[in-house]
């Protein structure tokens, strides 16, 4: 496996920041949805990845031979694991995207909408 650096992770977070800025400029909903879909993929999306990463981080700390085990450490590890489950629970946002996509494909265009 390739060695990761903090810069690799910063690149990922910078990409998310760019996506946020892009979405603030009110892009076409279809294009926006296409960019968000991979983030919320039910198996490989951000909630699953972040949950797995937090659990792996907790395990790496606990399993390292130089780690001094203490009640405080175990409390913090428990907090990481709780946060991991909370993140993973967000995987079901892909259902929201599916419903949003269906709604957007059925939505009338602005010129035909009598919403005003």
């Amino acid at each position: 496996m390739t060695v990761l650096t903090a810069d690799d992770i910063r690149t990922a977070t910078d990409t998310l920041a760019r996506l946020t800025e892009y979405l603030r400029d009110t892009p076409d909903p279809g294009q926006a949805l296409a960019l968000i879909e991979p983030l919320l993929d039910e198996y490989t999306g951000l909630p699953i990845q972040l949950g797995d990463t937090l659990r792996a981080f907790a395990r790496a700390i606990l399993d390292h031979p130089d780690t001094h085990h203490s009640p405080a450490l175990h409390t913090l590890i428990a907090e990481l694991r709780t946060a991991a489950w909370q993140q993973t629970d967000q995987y079901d946002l892909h259902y929201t995207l599916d419903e949003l996509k269906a709604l957007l494909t059925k939505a009338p265009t602005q010129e035909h909408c009598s919403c005003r």
Side-chain angles (χ1 to χ4, degrees):
M1 172 179 251
T2 329
V3 176
L4 287 173
T5 67
D7 285 339
D8 293 325
I9 306 308
R10 281 188 203 95
T11 299
T13 58
D14 287 347
T15 300
L16 286 174
R18 287 179 40 226
L19 174 59
T20 301
E21 288 301 314
Y22 173 78
L23 294 172
R24 287 182 179 147
D25 287 338
T26 57
D28 173 75
Q31 291 174 333
L33 190 60
L35 292 171
I36 291 295
E37 281 182 308
L39 280 179
L40 297 178
D41 182 84
E42 137 179 50
Y43 301 107
T44 60
L46 195 56
I48 299 298
Q49 294 296 326
L50 185 54
D52 287 349
T53 300
L54 291 173
R55 278 187 285 281
F57 176 54
R59 188 172 33 260
I61 292 197
L62 280 178
D63 291 350
H64 195 276
D66 293 338
T67 297
H68 173 71
H69 291 261
S70 68
L73 174 75
H74 287 280
T75 298
L76 294 171
I77 294 299
E79 288 179 22
L80 281 173
R81 288 180 171 156
T82 297
W85 281 111
Q86 290 169 342
Q87 292 303 311
T88 302
D89 284 347
Q90 298 302 312
Y91 86 94
D92 62 354
L93 285 170
H94 78 277
Y95 293 122
T96 303
L97 283 186
D98 290 344
E99 292 175 19
L100 187 57
K101 186 190 305 183
L103 187 65
L104 288 173
T105 57
K106 292 179 190 175
T109 61
Q110 281 285 11
E111 60 206 33
H112 297 105
C113 182
S114 59
C115 304
R116 293 181 190 200

